[in-house]
Amino acid sequence: MTTLAHRPATALVIIDVQNDVMVGVHERQRVVENIVALVSRARHTGTPVIWVQHSSEEELAYGTVGWKLLDELPVHPGDPIVHKKHGDAFEDTGLEADLASFGVGHVVIAGAHTDFCIRSTMHGALVRGYDVTLVSDAHTAEDLTEWGAPPPAQVIAHTNMYWDNQTAPGRTAEAVVTEKVDFTRPIP
């Protein structure tokens, strides 16, 4: 149902699962295990896996240990890695070119942080014409209650609820658990 003509493929896009980003996040181990399971299933179906890494001069300097993807992630040497400096992984990056090269019109999104880069990238994808699946049990957030945010579990639950109810002409948005992600959706 994507509005991107001749782009029936699906890609798994994993956002910011980096050493410093994942410190103290909600249900870290479960989320990482679900991401590893998703990568395995994606590879089994021939679905491209694209990794996204954030950097900023203030907190996450490019090339540092904190900036690196977690060691437990099954990154293959041929996997595209997108380097970003903004919340939306499409902004000022090569993500769109990578997705176009694979004929992707449907993105499956997992990673961190729910209330920043996950939300920004989901909306960025939807407005650019993609169908977007959020993996409801494979994204996480840190505790920002000190600054007035709801607890991480509520941030995640609310994001899953509102994303599962998003609409856009000719596109789909959904939130599904890891086990129900369909990398082989039929072409409409």
Side-chain angles (χ1 to χ4, degrees):
M1 302 245 297
T2 177
T3 60
L4 301 170
H6 312 293
R7 296 197 30 195
T10 296
L12 174 59
V13 179
I14 302 171
I15 300 171
D16 300 350
V17 185
Q18 299 163 254
N19 291 324
D20 281 359
V21 173
M22 297 297 285
V23 172
V25 296
H26 182 70
E27 296 188 342
R28 179 194 186 278
Q29 188 60 37
R30 180 185 61 84
V31 168
V32 171
E33 288 171 1
N34 287 341
I35 289 170
V36 170
L38 286 164
V39 171
S40 176
R41 287 184 40 226
R43 293 197 197 291
H44 181 72
T45 61
T47 300
V49 177
I50 300 174
W51 304 91
V52 177
Q53 278 181 287
H54 190 83
S55 65
S56 70
E57 292 179 16
E58 303 83 37
E59 298 180 64
L60 205 55
Y62 183 92
T64 62
V65 171
W67 167 85
K68 292 183 180 180
L69 295 170
L70 297 181
D71 286 339
E72 58 259 52
L73 297 175
V75 181
H76 283 182
D79 291 343
I81 298 178
V82 173
H83 299 283
K84 70 177 181 68
K85 293 184 180 193
H86 306 284
D88 181 351
F90 287 91
E91 286 296 330
D92 198 27
T93 71
L95 179 57
E96 169 56 28
D98 287 335
L99 294 170
S101 73
F102 292 116
V104 169
H106 171 226
V107 292
V108 175
I109 295 179
H113 284 138
T114 301
D115 38 1
F116 296 105
C117 299
I118 295 293
R119 284 185 184 178
S120 294
T121 301
M122 290 185 319
H123 287 285
L126 193 67
V127 301
R128 288 173 173 87
Y130 292 88
D131 292 333
V132 183
T133 298
L134 172 63
V135 187
S136 61
D137 59 354
H139 65 97
T140 188
E142 62 185 326
D143 187 345
L144 299 176
T145 54
E146 178 180 344
W147 294 278
Q154 289 179 5
V155 170
I156 293 163
H158 179 257
T159 301
N160 290 338
M161 179 204 60
Y162 91 76
W163 195 254
D164 206 33
N165 288 287
Q166 285 293 313
T167 60
R171 287 154 280 165
T172 61
E174 63 182 350
V176 300
V177 295
T178 297
E179 295 79 30
K180 296 198 177 193
V181 171
D182 185 3
F183 290 116
T184 60
R185 298 179 349 157
I187 300 167

